[in-house]
Amino acid sequence: MIMSKEELIHNIEVARERLNTSIDHEDGEVIYLRSVELDKLIEQYIEAGY
């Protein structure tokens, strides 16, 4: 599924906030999974050429 630039930016911001919250309140596994989620979104953004 291809997302618009705006959707990707929104999803990246949400994922970044979730990761930041996780760092303060979750264990290492959750932090890792959220970091991977954020990385995948950033990768999609780069691949799309935005």
Side-chain angles (χ1 to χ4, degrees):
M1 176 183 155
I2 298 175
M3 287 188 255
S4 71
K5 181 178 181 179
E6 292 77 18
E7 287 175 303
L8 270 173
I9 290 171
H10 172 76
N11 289 343
I12 288 168
E13 292 297 324
V14 169
R16 185 168 24 139
E17 184 59 37
R18 286 180 57 184
L19 175 59
N20 288 341
T21 300
S22 295
I23 290 170
D24 293 333
H25 303 288
E26 303 288 345
D27 65 17
E29 184 175 347
V30 172
I31 294 168
Y32 172 76
L33 293 173
R34 294 209 171 135
S35 177
V36 169
E37 174 188 13
L38 178 58
D39 289 347
K40 287 179 182 180
L41 288 166
I42 292 170
E43 183 179 335
Q44 286 177 23
Y45 183 88
I46 293 168
E47 286 177 355
Y50 299 130

